[in-house]
Amino acid sequence: MADITTVNNITESGLGNLTFSTATESGDKFENNGKYMVVVKNAGEESVTVTFTAQTTTFVSPTYGTASISNKTLVIAGGRTGYICSLPVNAFNNSDGDVVMTYSQVTNVSVAICSVSN
């Protein structure tokens, strides 16, 4: 599993080019602050499903009782780019503070982590 450490910082001036990492067969992880946007580029012809693994799958709410949290999936058609953001740290961070994501296939798939500066 590869650790994606590059965070693309989008400022008021913008960001012209993202730095992408090649998706790895065993999956990838990144340190999550709950505010990052994940960009997945599928340059291949086949669709790819990216799964973000929920680390906490149930919790008790004083208002709603026991609630469930599921893995998040993002399906990206061939030749397209997908986006997902704001993965809650309490639900998706593992004990190291990372979000773990896996791919249905990795051929021609790359990923970038983005942060928006105020």
Side-chain angles (χ1 to χ4, degrees):
M1 179 161 300
D3 192 4
I4 300 173
T5 57
T6 299
V7 175
N8 295 273
N9 192 25
I10 304 170
T11 66
E12 184 178 339
S13 300
L15 178 65
N17 297 298
L18 294 176
T19 300
F20 283 88
S21 300
T22 302
T24 61
E25 190 73 37
S26 61
D28 294 311
K29 61 183 179 170
F30 64 94
E31 188 175 342
N32 180 38
N33 66 5
K35 298 178 183 176
Y36 288 148
M37 177 174 61
V38 181
V39 180
V40 182
K41 182 168 50 174
N42 179 7
E45 294 180 11
E46 301 293 324
S47 67
V48 62
T49 300
V50 184
T51 302
F52 300 86
T53 305
Q55 301 296 318
T56 300
T57 55
T58 59
F59 67 97
V60 177
S61 164
T63 304
Y64 302 108
T66 302
S68 299
I69 299 171
S70 300
N71 293 342
K72 299 288 183 197
T73 56
L74 180 63
V75 179
I76 306 155
R80 299 291 198 167
T81 302
Y83 307 84
I84 193 168
C85 64
S86 304
L87 294 165
V89 295
N90 291 337
F92 288 91
N93 284 19
N94 64 15
S95 60
D96 294 325
D98 296 329
V99 168
V100 175
M101 55 188 165
T102 55
Y103 313 92
S104 59
Q105 60 92 10
V106 296
T107 304
N108 298 311
V109 175
S110 54
V111 62
I113 309 300
C114 299
S115 175
V116 177
S117 295
N118 294 338

